[in-house]
Amino acid sequence: NAEYMGLNRLHNQAKMESAPVRLVHSVLNSDAALQGGDECYVLGTALSIDERILAVSSSNHVIKLYDPNTLGLFGQLTGHTNTIQDVVFSRNPEQPHLLFSCSDDSTLHIWDATQGSLVRRINVQGEEILSCSVNCNGTLLAAGTHKGVIRLWDLRTGKQLTAFQDSHSDEVTQVRFHPSIPNLFVSGGEDMLLILFDLTQNGEDECILSTMNCEHPVSRVTFFGPQHDHVAIVSTASPTLSLWNIDSAERVSHFTDVRVSPLSAAALAANGQDNGGVPGVPVDYLIDAHYEPFSQRLFVSAGTFGGDVGLLHVNQHYVQMSNQLVGGHSSIVRSCIAASDSSSFITGGEDSKISLWSTAPPSATNLLQAFGPR
C-alpha cells in the first residue's frame, strides 16, 4: 500500500528542511585532456556500485571514465560505431569494475573499467539495442531491441539463453533486473507495456508473471520500496509518471503531466492533506527516478530546457519540488544520478557538461569526497 511505500510521508514532511544542493564543479565532456578532441554531449551516465568510477556515454560513440569525486577524466572506451543507448555497471559487489554498454550498432560490449579494456563483444545482427541490464549476482545479461525483442545471455558461458519475441509489439526501451532477486526482471517499451518476467520458468509465456498497461511510453524504470516490489515508470517527454505494485500488477498512482497539479488544493484539503502551496512544478521534461532506501522516499529528477534540474519528491497524490540544481547546465540535461546516500548528484547534458553537486556546506572537509567508500 501507499504507506508501506513511503508515498504518504509527504503529508508530514511537506515543510521539512531540505539541505540545499550546490554546484561543486563542472567539466566539459571533451577528449581534449587525452588527445585534443572535440566536445561531445552526454547521452547517459552510470556509477559503479562502489562509487569509484563514473562512466559517461558520449555523442561521439565513446564512453568516458571519470573520477566521480573530482570529475577528473582518466580513460575512455572505444569500440561502438553508432549511438550508445545504455551504460550500466555490474551490481555484483565482487565485480564492481564490469561495465556493460549497448548501441544502435547492434552490439553489446562488456568492459573492464579499471583496466580500460574490452572483455567481450556480443553481436546481434540487424537489431538496434536500446537497453541492457545485468542481474544482481552478475550471471545474466538482458537486452531490449528496436524490433521488440528481449534477448538473454548466460554470462558464465557467454551463450544466449533465449529470445522473447512476442511479449512486446514495439521497441523495448528499458530492461531492468530486480535489485535483489536474480531471476526477476521487467521490460518496458513504446507499446506502453511493462512486463514482469520470472526466468525460473520455461517458455516465454510461462515466464510472464504480469503485464501492466502504463498508458504512456516507457522511458525509464526504477524499482523502489523496502522490498523493491514497486516500480516508477517515467516517460521523459510527456512528462508522465506512473507508480506500480509489481506483485499485484496494480497501478498506485498516475501523473499524466507532472507540470499540472493532479489534485487541487481544495481537494487535497478535503482529504486532510496539504500540497505545501505548490500547485505544480516548473519543469519541461522528466529525466529519471531514484529511491532513497534510508528514508524510503522516491524522487524524480526533472529538467528545464534552460538546463536547470528539479528534484521532485513523489507522494501518492502529487509531486513536490524538494530541491533544485541551478547553474550547472545551459541546455537539456540527459542524466541525473545520486550517491547512495543522496548527499551528492552528478548531471550530464547536451551542453557537453558534467556537473557535480553536493549538499555539504562549502566549509566541509573532504569537500569533493562525495562519492566512494564511507
Side-chain angles (χ1 to χ4, degrees):
N1 57 42
E3 187 62 40
Y4 171 74
M5 289 186 294
L7 291 174
N8 280 337
R9 293 176 185 273
L10 187 56
H11 174 55
N12 298 319
Q13 299 181 6
K15 303 277 197 298
M16 66 186 175
E17 293 288 332
S18 294
V21 180
R22 60 184 190 81
L23 178 63
V24 176
H25 187 44
S26 291
V27 298
L28 282 175
N29 186 43
S30 169
D31 290 340
L34 291 179
Q35 58 184 31
D38 295 328
E39 297 173 11
C40 43
Y41 65 79
V42 174
L43 294 176
T45 56
L47 187 66
S48 61
I49 192 173
D50 59 6
E51 300 189 347
R52 293 179 181 271
I53 304 173
L54 172 70
V56 177
S57 59
S58 310
S59 57
N60 64 348
H61 319 322
V62 174
I63 298 171
K64 311 288 182 64
L65 301 175
Y66 291 87
D67 179 337
N69 293 303
T70 64
L71 298 186
L73 178 67
F74 67 84
Q76 62 179 8
L77 307 172
T78 59
H80 285 297
T81 59
N82 207 332
T83 303
I84 299 170
Q85 293 287 356
D86 207 359
V87 285
V88 295
F89 273 98
S90 169
R91 308 319 291 171
N92 183 346
E94 296 180 0
Q95 301 173 319
H97 58 286
L98 286 184
L99 177 69
F100 299 78
S101 61
C102 62
S103 168
D104 286 350
D105 64 10
S106 301
T107 67
L108 293 112
H109 286 59
I110 305 174
W111 312 88
D112 184 327
T114 302
Q115 300 297 322
S117 60
L118 180 65
V119 176
R120 185 181 303 164
R121 182 177 185 268
I122 300 173
N123 196 4
V124 181
Q125 291 291 344
E127 295 181 54
E128 298 170 8
I129 307 174
L130 306 181
S131 181
C132 60
S133 183
V134 185
N135 69 346
C136 58
N137 59 15
T139 59
L140 297 174
L141 170 66
T145 80
H146 83 292
K147 291 187 176 180
V149 179
I150 302 166
R151 297 186 181 275
L152 293 131
W153 290 266
D154 186 330
L155 291 174
R156 294 162 295 189
T157 65
K159 295 182 178 180
Q160 181 173 305
L161 294 174
T162 188
F164 296 158
Q165 303 188 55
D166 301 322
S167 300
H168 288 278
S169 60
D170 206 336
E171 295 181 350
V172 178
T173 51
Q174 279 276 276
V175 288
R176 289 293 181 262
F177 274 98
H178 191 279
S180 59
I181 304 175
N183 56 287
L184 292 184
F185 80 95
V186 294
S187 65
E190 288 294 320
D191 59 5
M192 305 187 187
L193 297 181
L194 181 77
I195 303 176
L196 174 65
F197 293 91
D198 178 0
L199 296 178
T200 61
Q201 306 302 311
N202 294 318
E204 181 171 356
D205 290 341
E206 290 74 17
C207 286
I208 296 176
L209 291 182
S210 58
T211 300
M212 293 153 270
N213 182 2
C214 300
E215 299 182 15
H216 59 88
V218 177
S219 302
R220 301 285 186 269
V221 178
T222 301
F223 284 89
F224 72 97
Q227 305 302 319
H228 297 106
D229 52 4
H230 292 78
V231 290
I233 312 299
V234 168
S235 183
T236 54
S238 306
T240 304
L241 169 70
S242 60
L243 311 177
W244 292 79
N245 182 319
I246 59 172
D247 287 342
S248 64
E250 294 178 335
R251 187 169 66 190
V252 177
S253 299
H254 185 58
F255 305 96
T256 56
D257 189 336
V258 299
R259 296 168 297 189
V260 179
S261 178
L263 287 177
S264 67
L268 288 167
N271 286 316
Q273 296 175 311
D274 176 13
N275 73 348
V278 182
V281 290
V283 297
D284 297 310
Y285 55 90
L286 298 182
I287 304 170
D288 210 338
H290 75 273
Y291 175 64
E292 280 187 359
F294 63 91
S295 68
Q296 296 183 15
R297 292 191 296 160
L298 177 68
F299 291 86
V300 170
S301 52
T304 68
F305 295 134
D308 294 337
V309 174
L311 301 178
L312 314 178
H313 180 210
V314 182
N315 179 268
Q316 186 182 11
H317 300 295
Y318 54 94
V319 297
Q320 183 185 51
M321 188 70 74
S322 173
N323 231 317
Q324 292 179 289
L325 283 56
V326 177
H329 297 277
S330 59
S331 187
I332 291 174
V333 176
R334 290 287 200 104
S335 177
C336 178
I337 55 177
S340 57
D341 63 356
S342 294
S343 64
S344 303
F345 302 86
I346 292 176
T347 53
E350 294 185 4
D351 57 0
S352 303
K353 284 186 178 180
I354 304 166
S355 295
L356 172 64
W357 310 80
S358 177
T359 59
S363 59
T365 58
N366 297 324
L367 182 61
L368 292 178
Q369 297 303 311
F371 293 87
R374 295 175 175 81

